[in-house]
Amino acid sequence: YIRFSLEDKSLIISKYWDINLEEQSKESLKSFEKKLFELLKDSVKKQLISDVPLGVFLSGGLDSSAIVMMMNMIRKEENSNAPIRTYSVGFANNEKIYETQYAKQISELFGTEHKEFFIEPDVAKLLPRIAWHCDEPMADSALIPVYLLSASAKKTSTVILTGDGGDEI
């Protein structure tokens, strides 16, 4: 963060947060791995407390795949046969952006009930409706796919878990 001093007209730049893994021993790193695993599992477990059908938006990336893995692990521990429903979105006629192949691999690995939806090029007509739902100016290129994916997933799942943004960390 930056702090400006009115008294002497100086800028003071300070680091808000840092973690220096180089200073940690191997045992400490293992304990961090274990703690991260436990926190993620606990977080997902808390989201599974529901009396409505649950699903996961699955891109095949690290974040959503980790959520599916945790759901699968928790379901096994609880001897639950409740299905894990996963949903992916792709773009019709676009080979460059094709995450659905990775989502399908994760779905097969964990035995989820998987549905894929493909966006057609004529979706621009949905922009006024999507903008109305946003209720404020937004410039997010994922608005259209998330809107269509949500509308399709709503048919079989009431609550959706997502890992949006976890890959960036």
Side-chain angles (χ1 to χ4, degrees), residues 10-28:
S10 66
L11 282 178
I12 301 164
I13 301 171
S14 301
K15 189 180 276 189
Y16 173 70
W17 184 85
D18 190 22
I19 185 169
N20 187 347
L21 293 177
E22 292 176 13
E23 293 178 5
Q24 306 301 325
S25 69
K26 279 197 169 214
E27 283 186 37
S28 293

Side-chain angles (χ1 to χ4, degrees), residues 111-128:
T112 72
E113 290 181 8
H114 188 67
K115 295 185 189 240
E116 293 178 348
F117 306 97
F118 290 92
I119 297 174
E120 297 294 333
D122 65 344
V123 295
K125 64 186 178 206
L126 294 173
L127 287 175

Side-chain angles (χ1 to χ4, degrees), residues 18 25 62 78 94 122-123 135 140 151 162-163 168:
D18 190 22
S25 69
L62 180 63
E78 296 176 349
N94 191 340
D122 65 344
V123 295
D135 200 32
D140 183 354
T162 69
E168 287 78 7

Side-chain angles (χ1 to χ4, degrees), residues 125-134 147:
K125 64 186 178 206
L126 294 173
L127 287 175
R129 182 174 179 88
I130 294 171
W132 182 86
H133 282 290
C134 290
Y147 175 82

